[in-house]
């Protein structure tokens, strides 16, 4: 950050960079939604839906971190699969 900090300030002021980043953000959201819908429809067990709902609540309602959601869903899903 110490080395790249001044460059980031220049990117913030650059209109072309901002236009690219705005478009890239929208494209990323579209790609995530485009892959999440088929994956959600392919759930094989009801407990998987529960893990999915818990992760969505964690991310969207409680505004918590993505890494914690991934780790929690992975551990919870693995435990439920073993049981």
């Amino acid at each position: 950050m110490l080395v790249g900090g001044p460059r980031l300030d220049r990117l913030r002021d650059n209109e072309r960079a901002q236009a690219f980043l705005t478009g890239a953000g929208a494209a990323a959201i579209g790609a995530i939604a485009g892959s999440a819908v088929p994956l959600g429809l392919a759930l094989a067990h009801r407990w998987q839906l529960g893990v999915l709902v818990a992760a969505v609540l964690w991310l969207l309602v409680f505004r918590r971190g993505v890494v914690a959601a991934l780790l929690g869903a992975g551990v919870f899903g693995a435990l439920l699969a073993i049981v």
Side-chain angles (χ1 to χ4, degrees), residues 6-66:
R7 289 183 179 86
L8 291 176
D9 286 335
R10 280 190 274 153
L11 279 177
R12 208 175 285 149
D13 296 333
N14 187 332
E15 290 182 23
R16 283 185 168 182
Q18 288 300 313
F20 170 77
L21 293 173
T22 301
I29 291 171
I32 291 168
S35 64
V37 170
L39 288 173
L41 293 174
L43 297 177
H45 305 285
R46 288 188 182 195
W47 63 264
Q48 292 172 329
L49 182 62
V51 172
L52 177 63
V53 168
V56 167
L57 289 174
W58 180 262
L59 292 170
L60 299 179
V61 175
F62 300 120
R63 299 279 188 194
R64 301 296 181 172
V66 174

Side-chain angles (χ1 to χ4, degrees), residues 1-6 8:
M1 283 307 298
L2 293 174
V3 175
L8 291 176

